[in-house]
């Protein structure tokens, strides 16, 4: 018997993410694109420094793209 882990096991501490359907991915990408278009329109290079600008689009993006 071997002490190695099976090939289908996940490393300790790894996270699993949900598998999205095509429609869910499309919605996620659309909201992500809208958020980044807002950043571009406001000349914001770093999303973490957007502050109140594009705040609602960021929230919606993370609702559709939770990870």
């Amino acid at each position: 018997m071997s002490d190695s882990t099976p090939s289908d096991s996940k490393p300790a501490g790894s996270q699993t993410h949900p598998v999205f359907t095509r429609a869910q991915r499309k919605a996620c990408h659309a909201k992500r694109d809208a958020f980044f278009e807002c950043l571009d329109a406001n000349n914001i290079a770093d999303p973490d420094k957007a502050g109140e600008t594009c705040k609602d689009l960021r929230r919606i993006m993370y609702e559709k793209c939770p990870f």
Side-chain angles (χ1 to χ4, degrees), residues 18-38:
V19 177
F20 288 133
T21 65
R22 180 175 289 150
Q24 289 170 316
R25 286 192 309 273
K26 188 174 182 178
C28 170
H29 295 168
K31 299 306 178 187
R32 179 202 59 204
D33 292 347
F35 173 64
F36 280 96
E37 285 172 8
C38 179

Side-chain angles (χ1 to χ4, degrees), residues 5 18 24 28 30 38 42 45-46 55 61 66:
T5 58
Q24 289 170 316
C28 170
C38 179
N42 288 283
D46 185 349
K55 179 181 171 182
M61 177 187 69

Side-chain angles (χ1 to χ4, degrees), residues 5-15:
T5 58
S7 61
D8 63 342
S9 68
K10 303 269 188 246
S14 70
Q15 297 178 345

